[in-house]
Amino acid sequence: MVTTIDDLVERSREGVHRPRAREAYDAQQQGALLVDIRPAAQRAAEGEIPGSLIIERNVLEWRLDPTGSHRIPEAAGYDLEIVVVCSEGYASSLAAASLRELGLHRATDLDGGFVGWAAAGLPTRAGG
């Protein structure tokens, strides 16, 4: 049997609460890490979320693994609240599932992605 990308996305979301924009904003204000995994060209075209960490998808696990030699300072333990952001909320579901496999059990993703965030009227800035 062949697994489709839709199957993978659906499995990655099973049993996971995916916050919408306002809830993710509130979580960020309370210390959650919003991690933007979009490539530079996409951020330049769409914009960015102020205060989000920019970690492109190809290095995400290396930067957030608390025991990894290439981790960022914010990757201080497995209990981090992490909300992964992509453009529309699909690639971020797969990325968050990968982080949960590393033991970051509170990793989730933004339902609706950056597009949903911007549509909700939440703070954005021009991408760099």
Side-chain angles (χ1 to χ4, degrees):
M1 184 171 160
V2 173
T3 298
T4 68
I5 187 59
D6 292 334
D7 295 333
L8 287 177
V9 170
E10 184 178 330
R11 267 188 285 187
S12 73
R13 293 175 174 172
E14 286 177 2
V16 177
H17 174 69
R18 300 176 65 233
R20 299 218 31 99
R22 174 54 65 179
E23 186 181 355
Y25 174 81
D26 292 342
Q28 180 189 37
Q29 300 309 302
Q30 296 172 13
L33 299 178
L34 260 64
V35 178
D36 191 335
I37 63 168
R38 296 173 298 149
Q42 200 167 32
R43 291 191 317 274
E46 295 177 346
E48 296 179 356
I49 297 172
S52 65
L53 294 174
I54 307 299
I55 305 175
E56 290 193 16
R57 178 65 188 98
N58 64 323
V59 295
L60 181 70
E61 292 83 357
W62 283 270
R63 300 299 182 260
L64 291 177
D65 180 351
T67 64
S69 59
H70 297 346
R71 71 183 176 275
I72 60 172
E74 293 86 351
Y78 291 99
D79 200 37
L80 293 173
E81 184 177 2
I82 299 169
V83 180
V84 182
V85 179
C86 69
S87 184
E88 295 182 6
Y90 294 95
S92 57
S93 292
L94 299 173
S98 180
L99 294 176
R100 288 190 301 274
E101 286 188 44
L102 285 176
L104 295 157
H105 62 99
R106 297 177 71 195
T108 187
D109 71 304
L110 177 59
D111 188 359
F114 179 84
V115 171
W117 179 282
L122 293 169
T124 63
R125 66 175 180 233

